[in-house]
Amino acid sequence: MSPLIRRILIVLVVIAALVAVFWWIGRPKPVAVVVKEIDRGKVESSIANTRAGTVEACQRTKLSTIMGGRIEVLAVKEGDRVKKGQLLMKLWNDDQQAQSTLAMTQVTTARQRVNEACAQASNAEREAQRQTLLREKGFVSSSREDSARTEAQAKRAGCEATKADVAQFQAKVNATRVEQGRTTLYAPFDGTIAKIVGEIGEYSTPSPPGVPTPPAIDLIDDSCLYVKAPMDEVDAPKIQTGQPVRISLDALPKKSFPGKVKRVAPYVSAVEKQARTVDIEANFDNPEAPGKLLVGYSADIEVILAVRDDVVRIPTSALLEGGRVLVAGADGKLEERRIKTGLTNWEFTEVSAGLNAGERVVTSLERVGVKAGAPYVVEMKANNPTTGK
C-alpha cells in the first residue's frame, strides 16, 4: 500500500470517529417515563360531594322550657343516656305548685258538696213521689204535690250545679298542671345528652321566635345515624333514592363503607357565592361496620352511577385531551394512540377501542420531553431505568 493511500485511510477513519462522537453527543436522550400495563377490571362512574359532609343523628332535638326561670333541678349531666319521658330539668315553680294544691283542695270540697246536694235531691224526689201517691188517694191536695215536685227539681238542680263546680275546679287543676309543664323538660325519646346550657341556680331563658338563643339541653339519638353531604347542582339530576354509595370518614382513613341514598333535597342551597349545591342523605348498609361514630364527624359520599366489570381499562392519569394516550412502543419510542373511552372516574377509564390488555401506557405525562416519537426508558420503582425494548 502506498503511503498516500495509507494517509487517506487514516484520515477517513479519523473523520468517521469524529462523526460517531458528534452523533453520540448530539443524539436525542431518552426520557424516563412511568408506565402502566393495561389490564382488565372494574370501572365505575361516580360523583362525589363538593364540600365535606357530616354524620347526623336521625333524631336530634334542642330543648328549651316554654317560659324562663331559675333552674331548680338538673336531673342529668352531659353524656348521660336517658329514656323517653325521663325528667331532664325543672325550673322553680313553687307558686304554681301552691296554686295547684289550692285547686285540688277546691275539687275535694266541691265533691263533698256534690254528695250532700245530690243526697238531698234524692230525698226530695222520693218525697215528691210519695206526695203523688197520697194525692191519687185523696189525702193531700194537688198544690201540696206540686210543691214537693218543685222542691225536688230545685234540689236536683243544686246537685247538678255542685257537679259543675267540681268540673270547674278540676279544669283549674289541669290548667295549673299545664303551667307547671311550661317549667319542666322531659326526654321526648331515648338518647344521649350532648350539651347542657346552665347550672342549678342560674336563669334559663327560652328561645323566642327569630332569636338564636342557645337551647337548654341538646338531646341526640345516636342509635340511628346517617351522612348528609352537598352535591353540585349539575350532578343532582343524576342522583336518585336507593342508588349505591361509598361513605368515607376522616376519622377512619383508608376505609370506605357501602350505603344507599336515603334522600335528595327538593331544593338548591346557595351557601356560598357561585356555589349552589343540593344536599343528599345516605344510610350505611351495615350500621355496625364503622363502629362507634360521633355525631358531627366529617364524611364524604361517592354516589356510584354505573359499573362495568371485566373491561379493558387504563389509569385516568394516562388520558390526554381528545381521547389520546402515549403508548410505550416496542421500538423504544413513544407512540400516540387515539382511543375510544367509556365509563370514567378519577382512578380508571374504560377503553372500548384502540388498546389491548398487555400494552403499556405512559402515566407521567407532565414530565418535560414526554411526547410522541420521543425515545424513552421506563422508570422502575427502585429507580433502576431499563430500556423499553
Side-chain angles (χ1 to χ4, degrees):
M1 182 181 297
S2 66
L4 179 60
I5 294 175
R6 185 182 299 111
R7 285 195 294 270
I8 292 173
L9 290 175
I10 293 173
V11 170
L12 292 176
V13 170
V14 171
I15 292 174
L18 290 175
V19 170
V21 169
F22 282 114
W23 174 85
W24 178 261
I25 294 174
R27 80 190 191 285
K29 294 182 179 180
V31 60
V33 295
V34 178
V35 300
K36 173 67 175 177
E37 184 173 331
I38 301 170
D39 61 358
R40 300 183 69 89
K42 181 172 70 173
V43 178
E44 297 175 341
S45 174
S46 61
I47 52 177
N49 47 284
T50 57
R51 298 190 308 274
T54 307
V55 175
E56 303 277 1
C58 295
Q59 289 191 98
R60 182 174 186 176
T61 182
K62 298 180 179 181
L63 302 168
S64 293
T65 53
I66 298 177
M67 61 186 300
R70 179 171 55 83
I71 300 175
E72 183 179 43
V73 175
L74 199 54
V76 293
K77 60 182 182 296
E78 293 181 359
D80 283 356
R81 296 197 65 84
V82 298
K83 295 292 185 180
K84 180 179 180 179
Q86 181 176 334
L87 175 66
L88 307 179
M89 188 178 76
K90 183 173 81 69
L91 305 182
W92 180 88
N93 61 356
D94 290 356
D95 54 341
Q96 296 175 356
Q97 292 183 36
Q99 291 292 332
S100 179
T101 301
L102 175 61
M104 287 188 291
T105 302
Q106 290 173 329
V107 169
T108 301
T109 303
R111 284 175 177 166
Q112 292 175 349
R113 290 175 180 170
V114 167
N115 295 335
E116 179 182 359
C118 292
Q120 292 178 356
S122 297
N123 290 334
E125 288 169 348
R126 287 193 295 271
E127 178 61 23
Q129 292 175 357
R130 191 173 69 84
Q131 292 298 325
T132 299
L133 293 174
L134 292 175
R135 184 195 60 79
E136 291 175 351
K137 295 179 180 180
F139 295 123
V140 296
S141 63
S142 298
S143 59
R144 177 62 180 165
E145 178 191 8
D146 292 340
S147 177
R149 186 180 299 110
T150 301
E151 183 177 0
Q153 292 173 350
K155 296 290 186 182
R156 178 53 61 187
C159 170
E160 298 301 325
T162 55
K163 288 181 179 180
D165 289 341
V166 171
Q168 179 182 2
F169 291 131
Q170 185 62 54
K172 188 175 181 180
V173 170
N174 295 337
T176 58
R177 288 175 179 171
V178 170
E179 287 298 316
Q180 291 181 60
R182 296 162 66 92
T183 62
T184 55
L185 288 180
Y186 293 92
F189 51 80
D190 296 353
T192 301
I193 302 298
K195 188 174 181 60
I196 299 175
V197 177
E199 298 290 343
I200 293 178
E202 293 182 350
Y203 194 89
S204 178
T205 304
S207 298
V211 180
T213 305
I217 293 179
D218 188 359
L219 179 63
I220 295 174
D221 177 12
D222 55 2
S223 64
C224 173
L225 301 176
Y226 66 95
V227 177
K228 180 179 180 181
M231 309 295 289
D232 195 292
E233 64 175 338
V234 299
D235 293 327
K238 307 173 187 176
I239 307 173
Q240 296 179 357
T241 302
Q243 282 179 315
V245 301
R246 271 192 298 268
I247 301 172
S248 56
L249 304 158
D250 289 351
L252 300 173
K254 299 182 180 180
K255 291 184 179 181
S256 62
F257 306 94
K260 295 288 190 304
V261 175
K262 168 189 173 184
R263 174 181 175 270
V264 180
Y267 59 90
V268 175
S269 300
V271 179
E272 300 176 3
K273 291 182 178 179
Q274 299 180 349
R276 297 178 180 273
T277 58
V278 175
D279 288 338
I280 70 168
E281 299 172 1
N283 288 330
F284 293 92
D285 283 348
N286 181 9
E288 305 297 328
K292 177 64 176 178
L293 296 180
L294 299 180
V295 174
Y297 268 163
S298 59
D300 295 308
I301 299 176
E302 184 181 4
V303 182
I304 302 170
L305 303 178
V307 180
R308 298 278 195 278
D309 291 314
D310 193 29
V311 296
V312 176
R313 63 182 186 177
I314 61 170
T316 301
S317 59
L319 193 62
L320 292 166
E321 291 184 4
R324 298 172 296 117
V325 295
L326 291 178
V327 179
D331 59 355
K333 294 183 179 180
L334 299 179
E335 172 192 348
E336 184 177 282
R337 190 86 57 84
R338 190 172 296 276
I339 63 174
K340 185 177 181 181
T341 61
L343 292 184
T344 185
N345 58 33
W346 63 272
E347 186 177 10
F348 291 108
T349 296
E350 176 190 4
V351 178
S352 55
L355 289 174
N356 298 311
E359 292 186 290
R360 297 181 298 174
V361 292
V362 178
T363 59
S364 55
L365 299 174
E366 75 285 352
R367 295 185 179 182
V368 177
V370 176
K371 60 182 179 179
Y376 71 92
V377 291
V378 176
E379 183 179 286
M380 305 299 289
K381 292 184 178 179
N383 294 324
N384 181 23
T386 62
T387 64
K389 295 183 180 180

